[in-house]
């Protein structure tokens, strides 16, 4: 009898303890929200509203993991009004009272007229091509069949996130990425001038455009979210609009060469040009600086650059630089289903279409630029001095990018 009574007492005490634990758990949900999504840009300090009356729970008892998933997903809807990364001061113009004046805004534009059928069909074809090529066994490249979980964190550094508008942009160097990074800075409001978000993309200095602290990228999730990082990435990939801009792979290489090796660039000369000159240009002791080299008329030729790309020793020393790394290695198109695929060859139409699709074309305009057509129009001239075998090897190296994004095989270059 005594044993039975003690058992009932323990059951009652256990029930009371569980009820208290549940109450404490639900009361602390707000604290968990603050931990996972602490605002990182200054905002107005508004006293919190009085707590609402506790609503009765439904009869269904959700599992712990379901609660966590639902709770996390609730705060990942686009347009939460929370910027993605700290807002650095702009050239000392930040005011001490900026925090009081800064009020996050969300602007959404509603269009009454539909997007042209031709533009919608273009995007459908590009997305469909990506899916077909990723499923095509004849298209082979390293990492094609791995899962998103298998992608190393360091390879996710080109995926820029804007939580304010629910956007993910994978930037590809030499494909108008400077201007698209400017757009992302404006949309995420990560740069303030006198406490006001910067609204003019072209007024953002170039050194800030490419400053990694200005952009919240996937590879930073581990530091901020810890064990929740991969789950949050997947949720955002599912909910947000993902876009990418690409370019003819050979023309992109020409652009990279012209920008980094035909003009004095101290960093690229020290890291890459000196190596090319020693290995392929019969310059065992190249000039010590870029200025000295260019003053003497010395710089790697375009064939030297291609030799460097095809040399197996190159990637044994370090991975390809982002300016000539293949797009499939930068943006993982077989693991990430992009909603919008822009081409530099149709940049103006695609940019207008994308900003309208995102409903932010009243917030920002894509900057018009003086495009350099010489690289594409004179592509054959650039390869005239390149041996035919080198051209064919180069095509094999970049063939996945040609096929994934619908660029024709350059037969005029590959056949003499």
């Amino acid at each position: 009898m005594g044993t039975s009574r003690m058992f009932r007492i323990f059951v009652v005490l256990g029930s009371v303890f569980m009820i208290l634990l549940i109450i404490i758990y639900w009361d602390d949900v707000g604290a968990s929200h603050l931990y996972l999504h602490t605002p990182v840009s200054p905002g107005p300090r508004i006293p919190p509203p009085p707590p609402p009356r506790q609503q009765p729970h439904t009869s269904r008892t959700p599992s712990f993991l379901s609660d966590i998933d639902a709770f996390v997903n609730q705060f990942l809807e686009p347009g939460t009004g929370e910027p993605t990364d700290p807002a650095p001061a702009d050239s000392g113009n930040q005011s001490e009272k900026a925090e009081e004046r800064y009020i996050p805004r969300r602007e959404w534009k509603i269009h009454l007229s539909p997007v042209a059928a031709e533009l919608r069909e273009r995007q459908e074809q590009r997305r469909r091509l990506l899916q077909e090529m990723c499923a095509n066994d004849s298209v082979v490249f390293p990492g094609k069949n791995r899962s998103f979980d298998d992608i190393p964190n360091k390879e996710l550094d080109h995926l820029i996130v804007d939580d304010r508008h629910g956007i993910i942009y994978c930037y590809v160097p030499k494909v108008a990425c400077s201007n698209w990074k400017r757009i992302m800075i404006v949309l995420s409001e990560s740069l303030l001038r006198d406490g006001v978000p910067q609204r003019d993309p072209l007024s953002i200095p170039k050194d800030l455009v490419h400053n990694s602290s200005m952009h919240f990228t996937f590879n930073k999730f581990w530091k901020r979210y810890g064990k929740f990082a991969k789950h949050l990435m997947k949720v955002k990939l599912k909910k947000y609009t993902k876009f990418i801009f690409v370019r003819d792979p050979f023309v992109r290489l020409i652009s990279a060469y012209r920008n980094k090796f035909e003009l004095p660039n101290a960093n690229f000369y020290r890291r890459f040009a000196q190596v090319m000159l020693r290995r392929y240009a019969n310059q065992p002791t190249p000039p010590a600086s870029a200025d000295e080299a260019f003053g003497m008329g010395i710089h790697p030729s375009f064939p030297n650059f291609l030799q460097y790309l095809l040399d197996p020793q190159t990637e044994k020393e370090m991975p390809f630089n982002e300016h000539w790394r293949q797009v499939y290695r930068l943006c993982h198109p077989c693991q990430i289903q992009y909603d919008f695929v822009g081409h530099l060859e149709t940049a103006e139409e695609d940019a207008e279409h994308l900003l309208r699709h995102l409903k932010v074309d009243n917030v920002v305009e894509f900057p018009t630029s003086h495009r350099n057509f010489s690289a594409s129009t004179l592509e054959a001239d650039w390869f005239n001095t390149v041996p035919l075998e080198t051209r064919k090897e180069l095509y094999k190296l970049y063939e996945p990018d040609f096929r994934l994004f619908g660029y024709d095989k350059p037969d005029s270059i590959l056949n003499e």
Side-chain angles (χ1 to χ4, degrees):
M1 187 69 179
T3 302
S4 175
R5 184 177 181 183
M6 288 295 294
F7 175 78
R8 288 198 298 271
I9 292 175
F10 278 119
V11 169
V12 171
L13 290 176
S15 300
V16 172
F17 175 78
M18 289 301 297
I19 292 172
L20 290 174
L21 183 62
I22 291 172
I23 293 174
I24 292 172
Y25 167 75
W26 287 111
D27 283 344
D28 285 343
V29 164
S32 297
H33 164 56
L34 291 176
Y35 168 73
L36 285 173
H37 294 273
T38 303
V40 290
S41 285
R45 297 188 176 181
I46 303 174
R53 294 182 179 178
Q54 186 173 359
Q55 298 295 326
H57 298 297
T58 60
S59 58
R60 183 179 64 87
T61 305
S63 69
F64 175 74
L65 290 178
S66 298
D67 274 350
I68 291 295
D69 282 351
F71 168 68
V72 170
N73 294 348
Q74 172 185 355
F75 295 101
L76 292 176
E77 292 294 342
T80 59
E82 293 184 4
T84 56
D85 226 15
D90 181 15
S91 305
N93 290 327
Q94 200 80 5
S95 169
E96 294 180 0
K97 296 186 178 180
E99 186 171 334
E100 300 177 8
R101 296 200 304 272
Y102 170 54
I103 301 177
R105 299 185 297 171
R106 287 183 295 170
E107 303 89 345
W108 300 90
K109 186 173 182 179
I110 305 300
H111 289 277
L112 299 179
S113 59
V115 174
E118 176 187 354
L119 298 180
R120 294 200 306 273
E121 178 61 23
R122 174 191 292 171
Q123 282 304 310
E124 178 60 31
Q125 289 177 355
R126 291 174 181 174
R127 291 193 301 268
R128 185 166 58 245
L129 177 65
L130 264 181
Q131 294 174 0
E132 292 173 355
M133 291 298 102
C134 287
N136 190 331
D137 292 337
S138 69
V139 181
V140 180
F141 54 87
K144 175 186 175 183
N145 297 318
R146 64 183 173 181
S147 68
F148 180 77
D149 287 330
D150 293 330
I151 301 175
N153 191 56
K154 63 183 179 181
E155 295 182 16
L156 299 173
D157 59 342
H158 280 62
L159 292 156
I160 300 176
V161 181
D162 169 26
D163 285 318
R164 180 177 297 279
H165 299 90
I167 301 170
I168 296 174
Y169 163 51
C170 186
Y171 71 90
V172 179
K174 308 314 301 175
V175 190
C177 77
S178 295
N179 281 340
W180 279 114
K181 284 183 177 181
R182 288 184 169 98
I183 295 288
M184 295 298 286
I185 290 173
V186 170
L187 291 179
S188 64
E189 299 188 357
S190 56
L191 179 64
L192 306 182
R193 182 185 293 273
D194 292 330
V196 178
Q198 182 63 261
R199 292 293 178 182
D200 179 13
L202 290 179
S203 67
I204 301 174
K206 189 173 183 179
D207 60 331
L208 288 181
V209 169
H210 298 293
N211 188 325
S212 62
S213 67
M214 294 298 302
H215 306 284
F216 186 39
T217 49
F218 264 14
N219 65 312
K220 298 179 181 179
F221 274 43
W222 290 106
K223 184 176 181 180
R224 178 176 294 187
Y225 299 122
K227 62 182 180 180
F228 294 100
K230 211 70 175 187
H231 176 76
L232 290 172
M233 291 181 200
K234 291 180 179 179
V235 172
K236 290 174 188 280
L237 286 172
K238 181 179 179 181
K239 291 178 176 290
Y240 288 9
T241 300
K242 305 164 291 295
F243 78 93
I244 180 177
F245 268 75
V246 296
R247 184 181 193 177
D248 179 286
F250 278 4
V251 178
R252 178 172 169 243
L253 289 180
I254 295 171
S255 178
Y257 169 77
R258 297 184 65 182
N259 181 249
K260 302 303 180 184
F261 302 112
E262 279 200 334
L263 301 172
N265 185 311
N267 182 37
F268 276 77
Y269 179 80
R270 183 183 68 256
R271 295 173 60 195
F272 307 108
Q274 285 186 325
V275 176
M276 297 177 197
L277 291 172
R278 281 194 294 265
R279 290 182 183 173
Y280 320 114
N282 195 27
Q283 293 278 346
T285 56
S289 69
D291 290 337
E292 182 182 352
F294 275 81
M296 300 169 62
I298 298 175
H299 64 83
S301 66
F302 185 61
N304 293 156
F305 173 56
L306 300 187
Q307 284 178 282
Y308 173 79
L309 298 180
L310 294 171
D311 190 341
Q313 185 65 27
T314 297
E315 289 225 76
K316 289 181 181 179
E317 297 173 351
M318 69 176 74
F320 273 1
N321 179 268
E322 62 178 358
H323 291 85
W324 46 83
R325 192 180 308 166
Q326 298 92 327
V327 177
Y328 73 81
R329 294 171 63 183
L330 294 172
C331 296
H332 319 291
C334 290
Q335 288 77 32
I336 298 173
Q337 295 184 0
Y338 286 94
D339 304 292
F340 193 98
V341 180
H343 284 199
L344 191 65
E345 294 78 6
T346 54
E348 293 183 5
E349 287 183 341
D350 289 349
E352 182 179 355
H353 182 190
L354 174 61
L355 294 178
R356 175 169 174 167
H357 175 72
L358 297 172
K359 300 178 182 178
V360 295
D361 50 330
N362 62 321
V363 181
V364 66
E365 292 183 2
F366 185 75
T368 57
S369 59
H370 301 288
R371 288 182 56 197
N372 185 353
F373 292 94
S374 62
S376 58
T377 55
L378 301 179
E379 184 176 7
D381 293 340
W382 280 93
F383 282 89
N384 271 343
T385 57
V386 178
L388 180 60
E389 190 59 32
T390 299
R391 302 180 210 172
K392 292 181 178 179
E393 291 179 14
L394 189 71
Y395 177 74
K396 290 180 183 178
L397 188 62
Y398 289 89
E399 182 179 6
D401 282 355
F402 276 96
R403 299 186 64 182
L404 285 167
F405 300 106
Y407 288 99
D408 295 332
K409 185 177 180 179
D411 290 325
S412 61
I413 296 174
L414 302 177
N415 300 317
E416 284 198 319

